[in-house]
Amino acid sequence: MIEDAELRSMTAPERADLARRLAELQPRLGRRSVAATERARRRFVIVVGVASVLMIPWVIALALRLPPRYLAGNWDVTWVGFDVALMVTLAFTAWAALRRRQVVVLAALVSGTLLACDAWFDIMTAYGPDRWVSLATAVAVELPLALWLFFVSHHLVRLSMRRLLVLSGQSPDVSLLKLPALGVPPHRRRHPERQTV
């Protein structure tokens, strides 16, 4: 049994190494699970990377072939459906925040994204005086709220990660872009001499 005094005397890297090794002993975080997670991560990277590359010719084709004006069918259903989706995500974000649920991070991110899309399409599809109303609504309401939701989402992820890093004895002062994803093993070589506790 390790005493509290021993834990306090350990350096941050020693505590981080101990926390990592203890986590590897958990049945669901064993070697087999880590290997499966790594395979899934690689598949994810390949699929999303290929999709992003395939978007290049698609965007070029759209830019060359789409007409500047188009009479759209189901215009009312399209906008009402989009605004209902936005309303539901905003309500779910409020509920998750009220209940202090971790899913608020995703809900805020989705809500902010939908608000930004709403502002973009409102401005780009409006005509005449409606364009000024759409622009004013975007600048005064939709985009500030979207940015605030993005900030809250980022802040909550950062706060959660800082707490986990402190508990594992690591430095909490790491950029969110450099923090490893939870559940995804870091890319590092194993050190056989560190396998015993």
Side-chain angles (χ1 to χ4, degrees):
M1 180 71 103
I2 300 176
E3 299 291 328
D4 288 349
E6 289 178 82
L7 290 172
R8 283 192 206 91
S9 69
M10 295 172 91
T11 65
E14 289 171 334
R15 282 195 303 272
D17 182 57
L18 177 61
R20 184 180 60 253
R21 290 165 55 204
L22 287 171
E24 288 175 355
L25 294 175
Q26 295 295 324
R28 287 196 269 178
L29 297 176
R31 293 178 201 272
R32 185 171 178 206
S33 176
V34 168
T37 301
E38 181 60 17
R39 282 192 303 276
R41 184 192 68 82
R42 284 188 188 136
R43 277 193 303 270
F44 180 82
V45 169
I46 290 168
V47 169
V48 175
V50 168
S52 68
V53 171
L54 291 177
M55 285 298 296
I56 295 170
W58 176 252
V59 169
I60 292 170
L62 287 178
L64 296 175
R65 299 184 79 206
L66 282 179
R69 293 176 190 264
Y70 184 77
L71 182 60
N74 302 313
W75 186 252
D76 54 347
V77 176
T78 300
W79 281 110
V80 170
F82 185 87
D83 285 343
V84 166
L86 178 57
M87 176 186 65
V88 169
T89 59
L90 287 170
F92 184 72
T93 302
W95 173 85
L98 178 67
R99 306 292 282 187
R100 293 184 170 92
R101 301 287 195 259
Q102 189 68 22
V103 74
V104 72
V105 172
L106 294 174
L109 193 59
V110 170
S111 294
T113 301
L114 289 179
L115 278 166
C117 291
D118 194 25
W120 170 260
F121 287 113
D122 279 347
I123 292 168
M124 297 311 293
T125 60
Y127 180 74
D130 289 342
R131 179 163 283 178
W132 291 108
V133 173
S134 296
L135 189 60
T137 304
V139 170
V141 179
E142 292 166 329
L143 294 178
L145 183 55
L147 290 173
W148 186 55
L149 287 164
F150 292 147
F151 168 78
V152 167
S153 181
H154 176 274
H155 176 71
L156 290 174
V157 169
R158 187 76 183 101
L159 183 62
S160 297
M161 290 305 298
R162 285 179 63 89
R163 289 184 178 171
L164 286 173
L165 289 171
V166 167
L167 287 173
S168 67
Q170 300 176 61
S171 170
D173 298 321
V174 180
S175 163
L176 190 58
L177 288 173
K178 294 181 181 178
L179 280 173
L182 290 177
V184 178
H187 182 68
R188 66 179 181 355
R189 279 183 275 178
R190 296 269 180 201
H191 300 286
E193 69 275 7
R194 295 185 179 179
Q195 295 303 313
T196 57
V197 177

